[in-house]
Amino acid sequence: MQDPQVQQTFERAARHHRAGRLLEAEALYRKVLAHRPDHADTIRMIALLALDLGRTDAAILLLERAIRIAPAVPDYHADLGRAFRSTGRLDEAAAAFTRAIELRPNAPEILNDLGNALLDARRIPEAIDCFRRAISLKPDFPEAANNLGNALTKLGAMDDAIAAYRDAIRLRPDLAEAHANLASALIETGQLDEALAVYRRAEEIKPDARIAGAKLYAMHLHPDYGPQRLLEEHVRWNEKYARALTTSIRPHPNDRTPERKLRLGYVSGDFNDHPVGRFLLPLLSNHDRERFQVICYSDTRRQDATTARLRSAASQWRITLWLSDTQLADLVRQDSIDMLVDLTMHAHGSRLLAFAR
């Protein structure tokens, strides 16, 4: 920047941004932009702020604007890929990351991001190749090793997946996600005692409702956990993770006219050729449409013919995969749902903390 005062304003904005004072940072970035409307770095920083504030569509437009001004900057394309991925636009995410890698071929972090987008899109061999390339460029990259384990798990190569997770933990012993993923893989191979021990370690590192819930799910498979012990563990989970969220519960303002249709909501990540999807299909198909409206909240990544049949049987279909638990709870309120049904419990993709709200 030519103007020292404008440069100082930009630096002040960056300090606010790093400190988490996002609105103050945005005001200063926009002040810079008023003087330099074509300054691509400032446009990019406003886009990153928009992402932090949940304004994903605005962030995408800003990043595309920055790229039009400076098309050869790889970070802009990588940021655009992350924004696309956060909204489930996976093909566009992969294309943006690929362009970033063309501009910066030996960038392990961008290769890791591309691998995640490909993994979300179930392009598993391509994802594995990206993670392995990232690790070859940066051998001490625990996140890429963890992601490689995830891709190998999807492929069913459990021994290799377990080895990848152990590599990630060796490189970063406090990476709770790698511990949790290792525990899940150990369950798949029947190593229940070690799996529960690893889940406990993951929860020690990162007290997280989903990690603790996965541990509860695993306990159902272990012969030492009878009904009373399972009950005690579930009560403990509720006290630790869910009870405090009851303060988020709001009054239920729905129309109480007895004759109106009831609005039923179903929440699942398995609206596809999965036991949940297959069991649900006759239920949705046979709801009395004179008495009920059916709204499905879908966290389903892999869509198939069963997904299409379920969608056609629903009155409304909401894609919620990229929503936080708070955002999902807000959407349910906006939809005036009378009865909300959880189809996941503590299995992978649990949304119980949305229900707690």
Side-chain angles (χ1 to χ4, degrees):
M1 294 183 187
Q2 300 290 331
D3 188 330
Q5 192 170 11
V6 172
Q7 178 64 37
Q8 289 173 7
T9 304
F10 182 87
E11 290 170 358
R12 282 175 56 213
R15 286 196 295 273
H16 280 299
H17 196 167
R18 286 192 296 271
R21 297 188 291 273
L22 303 185
L23 296 178
E24 295 94 326
E26 183 178 26
L28 289 169
Y29 283 135
R30 291 197 179 279
K31 192 173 179 181
V32 172
L33 210 58
H35 291 275
R36 290 284 308 276
D38 63 342
H39 194 263
D41 271 346
T42 302
I43 295 168
R44 177 210 183 193
M45 297 310 294
I46 296 172
L48 296 181
L49 275 172
L51 279 177
D52 290 338
L53 293 166
R55 305 172 192 160
T56 311
D57 291 341
I60 289 170
L61 292 173
L62 286 162
L63 288 165
E64 289 173 336
R65 177 180 164 192
I67 288 168
R68 286 195 296 273
I69 295 167
V73 180
D75 287 340
Y76 298 173
H77 294 275
D79 292 335
L80 181 61
R82 295 180 191 108
F84 279 137
R85 182 177 175 234
S86 73
T87 59
R89 295 165 64 176
L90 301 178
D91 290 340
E92 291 163 286
F97 288 132
T98 299
R99 180 59 183 145
I101 291 164
E102 289 170 354
L103 293 166
R104 187 183 292 156
N106 297 320
E109 289 80 8
I110 300 175
L111 280 165
N112 183 58
D113 284 332
L114 173 59
N116 279 326
L118 294 169
L119 185 57
D120 288 343
R122 299 191 69 81
R123 294 163 61 180
I124 297 170
E126 295 170 80
I128 289 172
D129 179 63
C130 284
F131 297 135
R132 284 183 168 150
R133 285 168 61 196
I135 292 167
S136 71
L137 290 166
K138 184 179 177 182
D140 58 340
F141 196 171
E143 292 80 7
N146 178 57
N147 293 330
L148 174 61
N150 293 339
L152 291 165
T153 295
K154 294 288 187 187
L155 202 63
M158 300 311 301
D159 289 343
D160 290 340
I162 287 170
Y165 293 136
R166 293 196 193 280
D167 280 344
I169 292 166
R170 174 181 55 79
L171 291 167
R172 186 178 157 191
D174 66 344
L175 186 58
E177 290 77 9
H179 287 271
N181 291 332
L182 172 60
S184 178
L186 290 168
I187 289 170
E188 291 292 320
T189 56
Q191 301 175 68
L192 296 178
D193 288 331
E194 185 180 359
L196 287 176
V198 174
Y199 271 132
R200 291 188 188 98
R201 178 60 186 143
E203 192 182 4
E204 287 173 5
I205 296 168
K206 182 181 179 181
D208 178 89
R210 286 187 172 85
I211 291 173
K215 181 184 69 176
L216 288 179
Y217 183 80
M219 287 173 179
H220 287 78
L221 309 175
H222 198 291
D224 289 350
Y225 286 82
Q228 183 60 39
R229 192 171 180 187
L230 286 170
L231 172 62
E232 292 166 359
E233 293 288 348
H234 282 75
V235 168
R236 189 174 296 117
W237 180 92
N238 183 61
E239 292 295 326
K240 186 170 184 178
Y241 296 107
R243 185 173 293 280
L245 296 174
T246 59
T247 58
S248 302
I249 296 173
R250 301 177 195 167
H252 197 59
N254 289 14
D255 178 9
R256 295 176 181 272
T257 305
E259 295 80 13
R260 73 170 176 82
K261 289 182 181 180
L262 288 179
R263 293 174 63 80
L264 308 182
Y266 292 95
V267 181
S268 179
D270 298 309
F271 290 131
N272 54 19
D273 189 20
H274 177 279
V276 169
R278 293 195 294 273
F279 278 118
L280 192 64
L281 187 55
L283 177 66
L284 259 60
S285 301
N286 290 285
H287 266 307
D288 182 349
R289 289 297 187 269
E290 297 299 315
R291 298 175 59 200
F292 301 104
Q293 288 181 291
V294 176
I295 297 89
C296 289
Y297 298 91
S298 174
D299 284 349
T300 307
R301 290 177 183 269
R302 180 178 57 83
Q303 301 188 32
D304 54 26
T306 303
T307 310
R309 293 176 67 192
L310 288 163
R311 188 166 188 163
S312 66
S315 307
Q316 292 175 283
W317 189 269
R318 306 290 199 209
I319 296 174
T320 55
L321 177 61
W322 309 103
L323 299 185
S324 69
D325 290 327
T326 299
Q327 290 170 325
L328 174 57
D330 288 342
L331 180 59
V332 168
R333 292 189 190 100
Q334 291 168 23
D335 286 342
S336 299
I337 297 300
D338 297 300
M339 184 181 297
L340 190 67
V341 182
D342 171 43
L343 298 170
T344 306
M345 297 182 289
H346 285 291
H348 179 72
S350 171
R351 284 294 201 160
L352 287 178
L353 293 189
F355 282 78
R357 288 168 166 83

